[in-house]
Amino acid sequence: MLEVIQSRTDKKSTIYCSQWAPEGWLGKLSDGPLADTILDRIRTSSYTILLTGRSLREDYSKIK
């Protein structure tokens, strides 16, 4: 993962999607130096968009 992120840093746009809040990413990535490096690369030039509100999955799953 680090190699992909490093190769794209400051060269190309990348969209990261997650079900976890950004604060929880460190724990999901094993909470070590490599995780710190990955998150530093992502955070340096990023925008965070948090979606809130009710999930529409239940509504759409009822439609057949």
Side-chain angles (χ1 to χ4, degrees):
M1 185 172 176
L2 178 60
E3 289 177 17
V4 172
I5 292 169
Q6 183 65 35
S7 69
R8 298 180 66 85
T9 300
D10 297 327
K11 296 175 187 153
K12 299 179 181 186
S13 298
T14 306
I15 297 174
Y16 301 96
C17 299
S18 174
Q19 294 180 2
W20 299 284
E23 302 80 37
W25 289 6
L26 188 60
K28 299 292 181 189
L29 293 172
S30 302
D31 198 14
L34 185 57
D36 284 334
T37 303
I38 290 170
L39 292 177
D40 283 343
R41 298 290 187 283
I42 293 172
R43 289 181 191 147
T44 56
S45 59
S46 67
Y47 297 95
T48 302
I49 301 171
L50 297 175
L51 303 178
T52 59
R54 153 180 118 72
S55 173
L56 298 176
R57 287 183 186 180
E58 284 187 32
D59 296 342
Y60 288 120
S61 68
K62 293 176 185 174
I63 299 173
K64 301 245 178 186

